[in-house]
Amino acid sequence: MHEKFMSEAIRLATEKMQNGDGGPFGAVIVMDGRIISRGWNQVTSTNDPTAHAEIVAIRNACRQINNFSLAGGTLYVNCEPCPMCMAAAYWAEIATVYYGTTRKDAAAIGFADDHIHQELSLPNEERVMNIKQIMRDQALPAFALWESMADKIKY
């Protein structure tokens, strides 16, 4: 079964890239042995840097099942997910991720996945991007309000 689902992710990556939708990335989400969602890279066709195949597939899957949790689901993607997509998989509570090529393979053809992985392992002050904390005291009340809400939906 793994080959069937990974083959679909690879097919999407190839077909949609050739159609001009975006980069060479495709993803499917499987629950209970069937594909519930497909996604492909749409960064350049939508001018959305977050429109990675995994993100698109996660958004579609959540709409499909009407839930923000994909607990027990499996993500198949033709390339190792970037940090944003891995974080989204964690947030969605996906149980397993299968990938084909690696972030080093993606770096070899000009994608920043490996660089971003490396940057995130550095302390804030050593990163290329400037990251500064400001106004913590003013920002904390929103957290206190959240903590006190009885009707919040935890995630």
Side-chain angles (χ1 to χ4, degrees):
M1 290 299 278
H2 295 306
E3 291 80 13
K4 172 185 168 184
F5 299 133
M6 182 60 79
S7 292
E8 178 62 3
I10 293 166
R11 184 193 71 76
L12 285 167
T14 305
E15 177 185 307
K16 301 302 183 176
M17 172 194 57
Q18 290 175 323
N19 289 347
D21 288 336
F25 305 100
V28 298
I29 295 177
V30 174
M31 294 184 85
D32 300 321
R34 67 179 186 84
I35 295 174
I36 66 160
S37 177
R38 290 169 171 81
W40 52 89
N41 185 283
Q42 298 174 31
V43 170
T44 58
S45 61
T46 63
N47 293 316
D48 179 354
T50 69
H52 290 199
E54 301 93 326
I55 301 296
V56 172
I58 288 169
R59 289 174 180 161
N60 290 340
C62 290
R63 279 191 294 271
Q64 178 71 23
I65 67 167
N66 197 34
N67 197 319
F68 57 81
S69 174
L70 300 173
T74 304
L75 171 64
Y76 292 84
V77 61
N78 69 304
C79 184
E80 180 180 5
C82 74
M84 174 184 68
C85 293
M86 276 307 302
Y90 274 101
W91 280 113
E93 301 176 326
I94 289 174
T96 307
V97 176
Y98 291 98
Y99 65 91
T101 58
T102 68
R103 62 188 191 219
K104 300 279 188 202
D105 296 324
I109 61 168
F111 288 93
D113 304 49
D114 191 47
H115 168 72
I116 296 169
H117 275 280
Q118 291 174 21
E119 278 285 303
L120 291 176
S121 69
L122 297 172
N124 286 348
E125 61 275 3
E126 293 180 27
R127 294 182 188 175
V128 172
M129 179 185 290
N130 293 315
I131 302 171
K132 311 281 185 197
Q133 183 181 25
I134 63 170
M135 297 181 65
R136 180 176 184 269
D137 291 341
Q138 292 83 352
L140 279 173
F143 280 20
L145 180 59
W146 170 261
E147 188 175 39
S148 71
M149 290 176 57
D151 62 344
K152 67 181 169 256
I153 299 172
K154 294 184 180 182
Y155 61 97

